Structures are given as structure tokens and as C-alpha cells.
């Protein structure tokens, strides 16, 4: 861990951390180990900020990529085929922030898969991004703190 601590002073490390974290989540890898690494490399305040930037960026990129790659067509098909999907979309249009927030607050759900799922809905981007930020903050904070704890041993 001493070597890692010396690397933490380099200006390129936060950018490299963000790039790797975002790419990993886009590739549907778990983000938790990266949040823990943020605590090890950068400490609690900076680790939380970097992990949240990466987390929100990856979630938004996943949503936008999947929506532009045919998510709208798949969503339209699902709404025609399943009445529950149509009801869910109507509800997400009205209460998207609250529903995304509640899903993001559930511990243990894979964030990348949540992003993929919401790409098939009509939730507004603004509601999605804000609720993702707020909903991911508690778990990200805990993971960064765990990393900081283990990094200080």
C-alpha cells in the first residue's frame, strides 16, 4: 500500500481512475471494487467525489447508448406487448425521480443492470441522473470509507 500512496500524489491518477471506473461500469463490471479503491487511493472526501462522478457518468452513458442503439424500439415493442410495461412507463413519466431513487437505494442491486433496465423506459434524463446521484451516494460513501479503512491499516 505504500507504493499506492505515493502514486496518489500524481495528477494523472484521478483521471486514470475515472476512465477505468467508467469503462468498467459501461462493460457491466461491478463498480463496488472501484469505489473501495477510491477510498484507498484518495481518502474519503476525494474518493467519494471521484467515485460519484464515475458512477453517475457511467450510468448516464449506459442509458444514452442503449436508448440510441434501439432502446426506443425495444421499449415500444414491450409497451405494445405487455400492458404492465406501458403502465410502468406512464408511472415513470410522472414519478421517475422517486422510482429511480428507490431502486438505486436498494443495496446489492447491480448498478449497470439498473441503468440497462431504465434505458428501456421513458424516464426523463434529468430525473434519472439526479435520482441516480442521490440514490448512489449512501452506498458509494460506505464503500469509499471501507477502502479508506483498509488502506490505512
Amino acid at each position: 500500500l505504500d507504493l499506492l500512496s505515493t502514486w496518489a500524489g500524481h495528477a494523472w491518477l484521478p483521471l486514470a481512475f475515472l476512465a477505468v471506473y467508467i469503462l468498467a461500469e459501461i462493460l457491466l463490471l461491478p463498480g463496488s471494487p472501484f469505489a473501495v479503491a477510491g477510498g484507498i487511493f484518495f481518502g474519503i472526501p476525494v474518493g467519494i467525489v471521484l467515485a460519484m462522478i464515475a458512477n453517475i457518468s457511467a450510468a448516464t452513458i449506459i442509458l444514452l447508448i442503449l436508448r440510441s442503439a434501439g432502446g426506443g424500439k425495444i421499449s415500444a415493442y414491450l409497451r405494445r406487448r405487455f400492458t404492465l410495461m406501458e403502465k410502468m412507463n406512464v408511472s415513470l413519466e410522472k414519478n421517475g425521480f422517486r422510482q429511480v431513487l428507490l431502486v438505486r437505494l436498494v443495496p446489492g442491486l447491480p448498478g449497470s443492470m439498473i441503468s440497462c433496465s431504465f434505458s428501456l423506459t421513458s424516464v426523463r434524463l434529468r430525473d434519472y441522473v439526479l435520482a441516480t446521484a442521490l440514490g448512489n451516494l449512501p452506498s458509494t460513501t460506505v464503500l469509499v470509507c471501507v477502502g479508506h479503512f483498509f488502506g490505512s491499516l
Side-chain angles (χ1 to χ4, degrees), residues 6-150:
T6 61
W7 289 353
H10 294 282
W12 57 267
L13 189 59
L15 296 176
F17 175 79
L18 286 172
V20 170
Y21 192 149
I22 291 168
L23 182 62
E25 285 217 16
I26 290 171
L27 295 174
L28 305 182
L29 297 173
S32 301
F34 295 97
V36 171
I40 293 170
F41 284 123
F42 306 106
I44 294 174
V46 175
I48 290 171
V49 169
L50 290 174
M52 287 299 295
I53 289 170
N55 195 309
I56 296 163
S57 299
T60 304
I61 291 167
I62 290 170
L63 182 90
L64 294 174
I65 287 173
L66 292 179
R67 279 189 175 174
S68 67
K73 292 178 185 175
I74 295 169
S75 178
Y77 168 77
L78 291 173
R79 285 195 310 260
R80 284 192 312 271
R81 182 89 169 91
F82 303 103
T83 57
L84 180 61
M85 185 71 173
E86 179 59 31
K87 290 177 184 176
M88 186 175 77
N89 267 314
V90 169
S91 179
L92 279 166
E93 287 173 3
K94 292 178 185 175
N95 305 308
F97 176 85
R98 183 183 64 168
Q99 292 183 7
V100 172
L101 177 63
L102 290 174
V103 171
R104 291 287 187 186
L105 285 170
V106 175
L109 292 180
S112 298
M113 290 303 176
I114 293 171
S115 300
C116 291
S117 299
F118 278 114
S119 72
L120 298 174
T121 70
S122 55
V123 66
R124 283 184 230 133
L125 183 62
R126 180 199 60 190
D127 291 343
Y128 174 80
V129 172
L130 292 175
T132 294
L134 190 58
N136 286 345
L137 184 59
S139 61
T140 299
T141 300
V142 168
L143 291 168
V144 170
C145 289
V146 167
H148 180 68
F149 171 76
F150 283 115

